[in-house]
Amino acid sequence: MSASLSYLERSKLHSNPTAKAFLELMERKKSNLSVAADLNKKAALIELADKVGPYICLLKTHIDVVEDFDQDLVDQLTALAKKHDFMIFEDRKFADIGNTVKLQYGSGIYKIASWSDITNAHMVPGEGIVQGLREVGLPLNRAMLLLAEMSSAGTLAKGDYTVQTVEVARKYKDFVVGFIAMERYADKEGDDFIYMTPGVGLDQTSDGMGQQWKHPREVVFDRGCDVIIVGRGIYGGGRDAAKEAKRYQEAGWNAYVERISK
């Protein structure tokens, strides 16, 4: 089972260059923390990325909420990714037909494929969405996650939807490298998907608006997932973002070391 292997050992099994480099980065940096930077001002996003950069493996953005987006923001974020050794994940959650998502991914204002190492998509439209994104992303050595589950109360992404999402991922392993999911699924021969889990918190269990938080150890050790995604728990409510990022980095990494040592 891939969950029992180290990130470095798993990196040798991947054909997708971004997945390989990402797993190597996690091992090198001793971090399985992704910060969800849901901020709507360019300066605030850049400041946060610089503060948490030393502690994260992945910066997760919602670029379309940034009110003063421009190319300089992209340039600064990619420079910070190089400076601090992290990757960028644009949490776009594509959900349209193949031809439309090709344009959304590669063109338009944001040109996501030109700067985001990883993106993601819903499987509601069927596997044509994967084919469309793959046409744009694969030549650029990008990678994609599929939303197999979500962390919000009442989500419809579960059951048969999740099962079918995993089957589609198995058909496109050169581009689909993992899932947004709440737990690791049973591997078939040749599987080694990267599991990223949102809704992680050390201090709270709910935000009163449907978001449900789980402890890093529950996510990484008990459920076998690989990356913890944390947002407001690190920078919300006037928290010291650097201090909190270090705390989550240590909690996530300790759970991973415990998992592969058991």
Side-chain angles (χ1 to χ4, degrees), residues 151-153 198-200 205-214 232:
S151 60
S152 51
V200 178
T205 58
S206 174
D207 68 351
M209 293 187 291
Q211 178 64 292
Q212 303 167 102
W213 284 305
K214 291 163 290 298
R232 287 166 287 172

Side-chain angles (χ1 to χ4, degrees), residues 163 165-173 176 179 185-188 191 193:
V163 172
T165 296
V166 174
E167 288 306 313
V168 170
R170 289 185 173 123
K171 291 179 65 175
Y172 299 96
K173 286 183 181 178
V176 179
F179 306 104
Y185 312 128
D187 290 333
K188 288 187 177 180
D191 282 357
F193 293 110

Side-chain angles (χ1 to χ4, degrees), residues 239-251:
R239 290 178 174 87
D240 182 329
K243 180 180 177 181
E244 292 298 320
K246 188 175 190 297
R247 190 163 73 106
Y248 275 91
Q249 177 198 13
E250 291 172 350

